[in-house]
Amino acid sequence: MSERPFHDRDGFIWFDGQLVPHRDAKVHVLTHAMHYGSSVFEGQRAYDGTIFKLEEHTARLRASANLLGFDLPYTDDEINTACYELMKANNLTNCYLRPVAWRGSEQMGISAQKTKIHVAIACWEWPSYYSMEERLKGLKLDIARYRRPAPYTAPSAAKAAGLYMICTVSKHAAEDKGCADAMMMDYRGRVAEATSANIFFVKNGEIHTPDPDCFLNGITRQTVIQLAEKAEIPVHVRPIWPEELSDFDECFLTGTAAEVSPVAEIGPWKFTPGDVCKRLMTDYDNLVWGRTNG
């Protein structure tokens, strides 16, 4: 992946219905979303020219916007078509796409009903979130200081930019300690997720994963659960407390960027990537590359 800053790249970005040169896709410094977090986004991948679960991602983008009190000024079909137009314009077939919607600069303050709603889509080459070396040996995770908020304190079902602020802080702190990521608890002290990926555990060949009642029920998470059920691997969606972690054999993360990534260590707890991790890594890889049907 290129280390060039994201504002200084060639190609195009789809911006409010038009393809514009990448460097010209700009917003004003007094844009409401920059000051008040009134922005939602998606992360999706294309494999050999096909965007995996595109319809589901676009539907979630709209649902997230609605949870923040605004609607997208384009239909789902228009957004889906724009994603493929953008890939073609940038001559990309294997890439990451980032649709984003936000409130503009017409008003500055908490009240912002008159702001224009903007939508943009960018895409770029981006391999798995973690290097293959990290994935094969298992990731090392820190334990985040901050917790996922209660659903009665924030729109936790939205993929809203503001909800990721504590993720950035937590991931930076983890990387400062030599870790790849951090595991976050929820507001009750239960295991929740990593900073940008859902988490799964394995015990005696069966999968256990937290109930996503206060964090995002990831599209990759749902896909992996379906793959596990297809492989006749029992899946238990339930509350998981930290003191249970010493009883689990395997652990892995899932997400559009992370795909399926085994974990070897979370704070004092150790795991060994095993048969379940390897099976789901392979099955997910086969599915997204079109070698099998979901």
Side-chain angles (χ1 to χ4, degrees):
M1 183 177 67
S2 172
E3 295 300 322
R4 179 181 294 178
F6 278 90
H7 67 275
D8 184 24
R9 297 191 176 200
D10 299 321
F12 297 90
I13 287 177
W14 190 90
F15 195 115
D16 285 345
Q18 299 181 62
L19 289 172
V20 302
H22 189 104
R23 293 178 180 84
D24 294 340
K26 300 176 182 179
V27 297
H28 196 273
V29 69
L30 293 181
T31 295
H32 190 272
M34 181 181 293
H35 297 259
Y36 297 101
S38 52
S39 170
V40 296
F41 68 98
E42 278 297 314
Q44 52 213 33
R45 281 190 185 273
Y47 300 86
D48 278 348
T50 299
I51 303 171
F52 185 66
K53 303 273 186 175
L54 174 59
E55 290 78 11
E56 288 91 333
H57 280 287
T58 303
R60 188 172 67 181
L61 182 72
R62 184 174 302 281
S64 295
N66 293 164
L67 284 169
L68 266 64
F70 63 88
D71 196 15
L72 306 180
Y74 301 95
T75 67
D76 286 13
D77 285 344
E78 288 173 324
I79 293 171
N80 294 341
T81 298
C83 287
Y84 279 104
E85 289 179 350
L86 180 66
M87 286 172 56
K88 183 178 180 180
N90 286 300
N91 195 30
L92 292 173
T93 55
N94 299 307
C95 61
Y96 181 87
L97 294 97
R98 172 57 58 89
V100 58
W102 69 96
R103 290 188 180 276
S105 56
E106 291 77 14
Q107 287 180 284
M108 181 50 58
I110 297 297
S111 182
Q113 294 94 332
K114 296 180 182 178
T115 49
K116 179 180 177 179
I117 304 304
H118 299 271
V119 179
I121 309 168
C123 66
W124 62 90
E125 292 185 9
W126 195 11
S128 178
Y129 201 39
Y130 305 106
S131 70
M132 183 55 69
E133 181 183 1
E134 284 182 305
R135 292 174 72 196
L136 289 175
K137 71 180 182 180
L139 304 173
K140 180 180 179 182
L141 271 58
D142 188 25
I143 299 172
R145 171 185 176 186
Y146 295 104
R147 297 184 175 188
R148 273 287 168 217
Y152 49 79
T153 64
S156 57
K159 195 171 177 67
L163 293 173
Y164 282 78
M165 177 268 293
I166 56 174
C167 298
T168 295
V169 172
S170 299
K171 188 169 175 65
H172 286 180
E175 290 176 342
D176 287 345
K177 298 177 184 178
C179 298
D181 204 343
M183 182 181 73
M184 306 183 77
M185 307 301 183
D186 69 13
Y187 65 102
R188 295 160 295 206
R190 298 172 178 170
V191 174
E193 59 176 349
T195 61
S196 59
N198 292 123
I199 195 164
F200 291 77
F201 301 93
V202 180
K203 180 181 180 180
N204 298 327
E206 298 187 1
I207 293 174
H208 301 258
T209 188
D211 181 12
D213 62 353
C214 65
F215 55 89
L216 209 61
N217 182 12
I219 290 172
T220 307
R221 176 186 184 276
Q222 297 172 52
T223 301
V224 167
I225 289 175
Q226 292 167 0
L227 289 172
E229 291 172 343
K230 186 176 180 180
E232 299 184 347
I233 301 171
V235 178
H236 307 281
V237 179
R238 64 176 182 83
I240 297 176
W241 293 93
E243 51 264 33
E244 297 182 63
L245 268 58
S246 59
D247 296 330
F248 293 120
D249 309 310
E250 301 179 52
C251 176
F252 60 92
L253 306 180
T254 65
T256 296
E259 299 179 305
V260 179
S261 295
V263 173
E265 183 177 342
I266 306 175
W269 300 290
K270 312 291 184 182
F271 310 93
T272 302
D275 292 341
V276 174
C277 283
K278 293 172 185 175
R279 171 67 186 269
L280 291 173
M281 286 178 73
T282 299
D283 288 355
Y284 185 78
D285 195 59
N286 287 335
L287 178 62
V288 297
W289 287 103
R291 294 188 286 266
T292 59
N293 295 319

